[in-house]
Amino acid sequence: MQQRSFFSILAMASLFVCLSSTEVLAQNAQGGTANHGTYITVPSGTVNDWVLLVSPREMGFEEPGSEADNALLKLECFVIPINAYTWQVVARYKLRPWSTRDGVWNAGSANYILVHR
């Protein structure tokens, strides 16, 4: 029981540090959300001076009352460098809404964080 209490306190302390971080800890970073096809441009320098991390935000949708026939087939969440200053976000999912039909690609959204190297 003592071990669990220590880890709980450690987890809470870590969460507090993350939530209370100020610009001092993240002065070279910025983040936000982007829809499929959005362009993200670096604030200064080129894409080689920055690291861009994306993760899925909203992929798929709920279809109440028909959970037995739909399927989420594939997620894609990444960026493509367009030129020396810009990336394009790919955030999409393939959903099969009915069991007798092929999947359909839909636009999703992603979270991103851009950090200067």
Side-chain angles (χ1 to χ4, degrees):
M1 196 67 164
Q2 292 291 339
Q3 190 75 5
R4 179 179 282 173
S5 176
F6 173 73
F7 287 123
S8 297
I9 292 170
L10 184 61
M12 289 300 291
S14 299
L15 181 62
F16 177 74
V17 167
C18 290
L19 292 176
S20 65
S21 65
T22 62
E23 278 190 44
V24 174
L25 294 176
Q27 62 186 347
N28 293 324
Q30 53 184 268
T33 61
N35 293 323
H36 175 72
T38 299
Y39 294 99
I40 298 174
T41 303
V42 296
S44 63
T46 67
V47 294
N48 294 327
D49 300 324
W50 295 83
V51 176
L52 179 61
L53 176 68
V54 293
S55 64
R57 180 170 188 243
E58 291 185 26
M59 300 282 188
F61 56 87
E62 184 179 1
E63 201 178 18
S66 69
E67 296 299 323
D69 66 351
N70 48 9
L72 184 59
L73 302 174
K74 186 175 183 178
L75 294 174
E76 292 185 343
C77 189
F78 57 92
V79 292
I80 301 168
I82 299 299
N83 56 37
Y85 311 102
T86 307
W87 289 281
Q88 184 176 25
V89 175
V90 175
R92 63 185 192 157
Y93 59 95
K94 191 170 189 179
L95 185 78
R96 186 186 69 210
W98 303 282
S99 58
T100 59
R101 189 166 176 219
D102 291 334
V104 178
W105 283 104
N106 297 282
S109 64
N111 296 311
Y112 73 88
I113 186 165
L114 185 61
V115 181
H116 195 270
R117 291 180 188 227

